[in-house]
Amino acid sequence: MFLENFFDINAIIYTYPLLLDGFLLTVKLVAVIVPAGIALGTILALIYALGGWFTKAGFILYVDTFRSLPPLVLLVFIFYGLPFLGIQLGSFASAVLALVLNGSSYYAEIVRAGIVAIPKGQWDAGRATGLTRFQTIVYIVLPQAVRNVVGPLLGNTLELTKATSICSVVALPEFLRTAQIAQSHVYNPTPLVFVALVYLILLWPLARLVSRLERGIATH
Amino acid sequence: MTSAPVLQISDLRKSFGSEEVLKGVNLTVQRGEVVVLLGSSGSGKSTFLRCINRLEEPTSGSITLNGNSVTASNANLRTLRKQIGMVFQSFNLYPHLTALKNITLALRLSLGQTRQAAEEQAKHMLAQVGLAEKAHAHPSELSGGQQQRVAIARALALEPQVMLFDEPTSALDPELVGSVLEVIRLLRQRHMTMVIVTHELGFAREAADRIIMMDKGEIVEEGPPEQLFTAPKHPRTREFLKHFTGR
Amino acid sequence: MEQIQYYYFNLPIMRDALPTMLHGLGLTVLMALTTVAMGVGAGLLLAILRSYPSRWIRWPIICFVDVFRSLPQLVIIILIYFALPYAGIEFSPFWSTVLGLSLVLAAFAQESFWAGITATPRGQWEAATATGLSHTATVLFVVLPPAIKTSIPSLTNRIIAVTKGTALGSAVAVQELLAHAQSIQSVVANPSPLTLGALLYMAIFAPMVAFSRWLEWRYRWSR
Ligand SMILES: Nc1ncnc2c1ncn2[C@@H]1O[C@H](COP(=O)(O)OP(=O)(O)OP(=O)(O)O)[C@@H](O)[C@H]1O
Ligand SMILES: [Mg+2]
C-alpha cells in the first residue's frame, strides 16, 4: 500500500524520459551557474582587495544587496519584470542571471574573507621583490586564500546547486519541475519521491564533505 | 672601500596619523658598507627600512638608490624594488610554494626570466645558503633558520644593489641563529651593501662597518663599532647597551 | 529613464499595492519567526542529544542532518504539500512551508551548535565531571553557554539563508509577500509591485545581513 503510493515503479518507467530531460537540464544549469558564480565572485573579491574605499563600499553594496534578496524574488523580478523594458530573457537565461547574481555575492564574500585573512607580510614579500599588486594577489595571496576557504566555497556550491530547483517556479523544465509534471500525469507522488531520492543520493556525499571541511576549520 | 654612495637618505619623515615615527633621518650608505641599526622597540627601525623600498610611504624626505630617486612621484618602483633586497623578521615565505618556487616567482614575474633560467638561478642561490637539497620542500617542512635562509636567497636572486635585514634572527630559536648569521657574514665577504637591524650585539660589533643608534625616530649616535661599544656618548646608547649586554 | 521609472518605480501603483503587500509582509514575517523558533529550538535539542555517548542517538541525528542539508528546500516543501497527503497527512500551505524550512534550519542549526560544543576544550568536560556533575548538567550549564556564543555568527548566516526561503511559500500558494507582489503585478500589468516586494524583502533581510557582517567584523578584531 505504502510502496504502491510512494514508490510505484511503473510511474517511474512511464515518466522516465521526461524526468531524464529534467535531470539533464538541472545538470546544465549547475554547470553554467557554479563556474560563472565562482569566476564573478573571485573577480569581485580581487577588485575589493585592490581598490580604494569607494570600490570597497561598492563591493559591500553589491554583496549585501544580493545576500538580502531571496533568489526566487530576484528570479521572478528578472523573468516577469524585465520584459516590460523589452528585455525578454527566457526562463533559462533568467535562471542563470538570477542565480549567478545570488551565487557570486556569496562566493565573493567568502573569497574576500579569505584574502583579508592572509597576513600582510605576504603582500610585503611580493611587493618587495618587485611584483605588482595585481601579480602579488594573483600568485601569492589568492592561492592561499582559496585554499583556506575551500570548505565554505564547497558549501556555497551545494546551496547553489540546490537553489536551481527554484527555477521550476518560472516553468523552466528542470528536475523538480519535470517531477511535478510527471506527478500530474500519473496521479501519484512517486516522481516527486524519486526526484528527492536522486537529489539525496547525489548531494549527500557533497554535504558530508562540506561538513567535514567546516569541522576541520572549526577545530583548526 | 670606494666612496660611491649606494643609498642616500635625507631628512626622512614618517607619521602614522598624528604620531611622528621618523623625525628627519639622514643616512648615506657606501657601496660594500655594512650598517647596523640599533634601537629599542618602537624606535622606528622597521618603519625606516620599510620606507627605503616604499613598502611604507614616507611623509617627506628623499631617498636615492645609485643616484636614482626612490621617492620621486614618477619613480619606477618595481625596478627600484628589484634592486633593494629585503629580509623580514617573520621570513614571509609563501607557504603554498616550494623553496625553489618561492625564489623563481619574482625571477619570472619581475625579471621576466624563462622558467629554466629562473630555476637554474634559484638552485644556485639555494646552494649558496646551503640548502641545495631543500629545493622542493615547502616552508612548513623547513626549520626557522632554513626558512630565513630561503628568504635571503629569494631576495639575493634578484641581484640587488643593497640588502635590508629587519631583525632576521629575532624569530629564531637560539641554536638556529648561527646559520643565518653565517650567511650574512658570507655576503659581507662578497662586499654586499647591507643595512641590518638586529639585537645580536656580538654580531653587530664583529660585522658592522658602522653602527647607527636610533631612538624615538631619530639617529642619536653613529660611529665605528669599537667606538660605539666602548665609549658610547649618548645616554640612550649607554642605556641600550647596558640593557642588552646585561642579560 | 522615464520608462524605468514608469515600470519599476511607479509610485501610484506602489501606493495602491502597499496595504495588500504589507499584509503579505506580515505573513512572511510570521513564517520567518515561526521557522526560526522551531528550527533553532529543534537544532539545539538535537545538538544536546548528540552529545550523549550512544550511537543509537548519534547516528539518526547525523542522518537527519545530512538528509536536510542535501535536499533542496523547495523539494522538501513540495514533498510535504503534494506528496504527504497521499499518506493521509495534510498540511496547509503555510505549515508545509514552515515545516519544510524548520527541518532545514534544524539541520543547519544543529551543525552550528555542535561545532560550538566540539570546540569546548576537553578540560571543561573533565573539570565538570570531576566536580560530580552529571552529563546533562555538564552540557546544559558548562558546555552549552560558551558553545552557543561561538555558534552565533554561523547560526545567523543560516537563519538568514533559510528564512529567505519563505518566498518559496508562493510556490505552494501561501499568500505571502512574493505571491501578492506577483498577483498584483499581473493585474496592473506593471512590475512596480515586484520592485516594492524586493524592497520590502530587503527591509527585513538587509539589517540581518548587516548584523552578520558586524558580528564577523567584531569576531575578527577580538582575536
Ligand atoms: N602601520 C602602522 N600604523 C600605525 N602605527 C605604526 C605602524 N607601523 C608602526 N607603527 C608605530 O610606529 C612606531 C615605530 O614602529 P617600528 O615597527 O618601526 O619600530 P621598531 O623600532 O621596528 O620596533 P621593534 O624593535 O619592536 O620592531 C611604533 O610606535 C609603532 O606603534
Ligand atoms: Mg621592527
Side-chain angles (χ1 to χ4, degrees):
Chain A
M1 168 61 201
F2 182 83
L3 270 188
E4 225 167 81
N5 256 337
F6 285 93
F7 216 89
D8 178 1
I9 202 80
N10 288 323
I12 301 293
I13 292 169
Y14 179 66
T15 56
Y16 166 77
L18 180 65
L19 293 176
L20 181 64
D21 282 349
F23 176 76
L24 291 178
L25 189 59
T26 289
V27 170
K28 204 163 125 192
L29 272 173
V30 173
V32 174
I33 290 164
V34 168
I38 291 178
L40 180 56
T42 306
I43 290 170
L44 290 171
L46 290 181
I47 291 174
Y48 174 94
L50 294 173
W53 70 268
F54 192 75
T55 323
K56 289 184 170 32
F59 172 94
I60 291 186
L61 188 68
Y62 175 92
V63 167
D64 285 2
T65 300
F66 290 112
R67 289 200 305 174
S68 334
L69 275 178
L72 182 58
V73 173
L74 201 55
L75 176 57
V76 165
F77 188 89
I78 291 169
F79 186 71
Y80 293 107
L82 285 191
F84 285 88
L85 261 196
I87 307 175
Q88 199 108 32
L89 285 181
S91 54
F92 187 84
S94 300
V96 168
L97 179 58
L99 289 178
V100 167
L101 288 174
N102 174 267
S104 65
S105 68
Y106 282 91
Y107 284 128
E109 179 59 19
I110 293 167
V111 176
R112 184 200 71 85
I115 287 175
V116 300
I118 298 301
K120 194 168 159 289
Q122 294 291 310
W123 286 91
D124 288 346
R127 306 283 284 137
T129 48
L131 270 59
T132 63
R133 274 158 61 77
F134 186 70
Q135 288 172 332
T136 305
I137 199 168
V138 168
Y139 291 95
I140 297 170
V141 178
L142 191 62
Q144 298 178 54
V146 167
R147 192 177 294 192
N148 291 343
V149 296
V150 169
L153 284 177
L154 271 179
N156 191 48
T157 303
L158 173 63
E159 293 307 310
L160 205 48
T161 303
K162 294 190 307 183
T164 57
S165 63
I166 67 169
C167 304
S168 59
V169 172
V170 294
L172 184 69
E174 50 66 75
F175 206 23
L176 176 60
R177 176 77 189 164
T178 54
Q180 289 180 281
I181 297 169
Q183 185 207 10
S184 68
H185 285 179
V186 296
Y187 301 107
N188 180 303
T190 302
L192 285 179
V193 175
F194 175 73
V195 164
L197 281 178
V198 173
Y199 267 117
L200 192 60
I201 290 165
L202 291 181
L203 296 182
W204 192 319
L206 185 55
R208 249 343 20 233
L209 181 65
V210 168
S211 68
R212 176 164 305 176
L213 287 172
E214 278 169 355
R215 186 74 35 76
I217 286 163
T219 55
H220 194 54
Chain B
M1 204 163 298
T2 60
S3 61
V6 173
L7 205 53
Q8 240 173 337
I9 298 157
S10 58
D11 198 26
L12 185 70
R13 288 169 191 277
K14 170 69 185 175
S15 302
F16 291 109
S18 60
E19 188 197 357
E20 194 168 43
V21 173
L22 296 177
K23 299 166 183 160
V25 178
N26 297 288
L27 178 67
T28 302
V29 183
Q30 306 295 332
R31 180 167 308 287
E33 195 181 12
V34 177
V35 175
V36 166
L37 207 57
L38 300 179
S40 54
S41 181
S43 56
K45 307 177 299 291
S46 298
T47 307
F48 177 64
L49 288 192
R50 293 167 59 83
C51 280
I52 295 177
N53 63 358
R54 279 177 66 186
L55 280 184
E56 217 67 81
E57 208 48 57
T59 309
S60 71
S62 81
I63 302 169
T64 58
L65 178 73
N66 282 333
N68 300 314
S69 174
V70 178
T71 39
S73 56
N74 63 350
N76 188 341
L77 265 190
R78 292 191 64 195
T79 310
L80 288 164
R81 280 184 176 141
K82 282 178 253 171
Q83 297 169 27
I84 305 174
M86 188 167 216
V87 175
F88 305 87
Q89 180 174 349
S90 51
F91 328 139
N92 296 345
L93 287 184
Y94 313 132
H96 62 302
L97 300 178
T98 60
L100 189 78
K101 289 257 164 65
N102 259 277
I103 301 172
T104 55
L105 189 72
L107 292 176
R108 300 199 59 195
L109 294 176
S110 297
L111 298 186
Q113 290 188 4
T114 64
R115 183 201 183 99
Q116 205 183 358
E119 284 186 357
E120 226 152 81
Q121 165 92 336
K123 280 184 184 144
H124 177 65
M125 296 320 305
L126 280 174
Q128 302 247 306
V129 297
L131 291 172
E133 78 285 8
K134 295 290 185 188
H136 300 291
H138 278 83
S140 60
E141 298 160 335
L142 299 174
S143 75
Q146 292 171 331
Q147 288 188 49
Q148 191 60 298
R149 277 142 69 199
V150 173
I152 295 173
R154 175 174 71 183
L156 284 176
L158 295 164
E159 295 175 344
Q161 298 289 315
V162 54
M163 287 283 287
L164 311 177
F165 292 84
D166 191 359
E167 302 194 32
T169 58
S170 293
L172 298 177
D173 292 338
E175 71 270 21
L176 300 176
V177 168
S179 66
V180 171
L181 295 184
E182 201 47 53
V183 171
I184 301 177
R185 278 192 197 100
L186 192 78
L187 290 177
R188 178 183 151 78
Q189 282 167 20
R190 302 203 184 145
H191 310 295
M192 171 61 80
T193 314
M194 296 187 273
V195 180
I196 306 171
V197 173
T198 183
H199 291 300
E200 298 288 333
L201 297 191
F203 174 76
R205 191 167 184 166
E206 153 215 337
D209 296 310
R210 185 156 48 120
I211 297 214
I212 309 268
M213 178 67 202
M214 213 165 161
D215 185 52
K216 299 201 180 84
E218 287 173 305
I219 293 178
V220 293
E221 183 167 359
E222 64 171 288
E226 280 317 310
Q227 176 197 322
L228 209 114
F229 277 101
T230 52
K233 291 196 193 84
H234 198 275
R236 288 294 292 149
T237 317
R238 266 177 255 152
E239 218 174 292
F240 179 85
L241 291 176
K242 205 168 106 196
H243 177 72
F244 272 91
T245 47
R247 276 202 297 197
Chain C
M1 207 57 222
E2 225 165 74
Q3 243 192 338
I4 289 180
Q5 195 191 340
Y6 177 79
Y7 280 123
Y8 299 100
F9 298 94
N10 194 318
L11 291 181
I13 288 181
M14 284 188 179
R15 199 181 315 118
D16 291 344
L18 192 60
T20 322
M21 303 256 313
L22 285 181
H23 232 83
L25 180 69
L27 200 59
T28 292
V29 171
L30 184 64
M31 281 201 285
L33 292 179
T34 319
T35 300
V36 171
M38 287 172 45
V40 174
L44 185 58
L45 191 67
L46 289 175
I48 293 171
L49 287 175
R50 188 171 170 182
S51 73
Y52 285 86
S54 156
R55 75 173 66 133
W56 297 109
I57 299 174
R58 203 167 61 240
W59 280 107
I61 293 176
I62 293 176
C63 278
F64 170 86
V65 169
D66 281 0
V67 167
F68 287 101
R69 284 188 67 155
S70 307
L71 284 177
Q73 295 172 6
L74 187 56
V75 170
I76 299 169
I77 294 169
I78 299 264
L79 270 181
I80 294 174
Y81 187 67
F82 288 104
L84 277 190
Y86 288 87
I89 306 169
E90 278 189 54
F91 286 104
S92 68
F94 178 91
W95 284 107
S96 299
T97 311
V98 168
L99 183 62
L101 295 179
S102 298
L103 289 167
V104 174
L105 184 54
F108 280 118
Q110 191 282 149
E111 286 286 279
S112 295
F113 289 129
W114 183 245
I117 290 176
T118 51
T120 309
R122 270 239 75 76
Q124 296 278 307
W125 289 90
E126 282 160 5
T129 319
T131 51
L133 262 61
S134 69
H135 181 91
T136 310
T138 306
V139 173
L140 288 183
F141 302 118
V142 178
V143 177
L144 216 48
I148 289 177
K149 212 173 148 214
T150 336
S151 60
I152 284 178
S154 79
L155 190 63
T156 308
N157 285 331
R158 292 313 185 178
I159 287 176
I160 297 171
V162 176
T163 50
K164 278 196 300 183
T166 53
L168 300 175
S170 62
V172 291
V174 182
Q175 289 306 304
E176 47 69 76
L177 183 53
L178 178 60
H180 279 305
Q182 268 188 281
S183 62
I184 301 175
Q185 180 252 175
S186 62
V187 171
V188 298
N190 181 302
S192 292
L194 292 179
T195 315
L196 181 60
L199 290 175
L200 290 176
Y201 274 109
M202 286 190 62
I204 314 176
F205 289 111
M208 291 171 72
V209 168
F211 175 67
S212 92
R213 196 177 274 291
W214 177 77
L215 276 179
E216 269 153 31
W217 181 81
R218 207 186 54 163
Y219 174 74
R220 244 174 79 72
W221 292 104
S222 67
R223 278 192 302 187

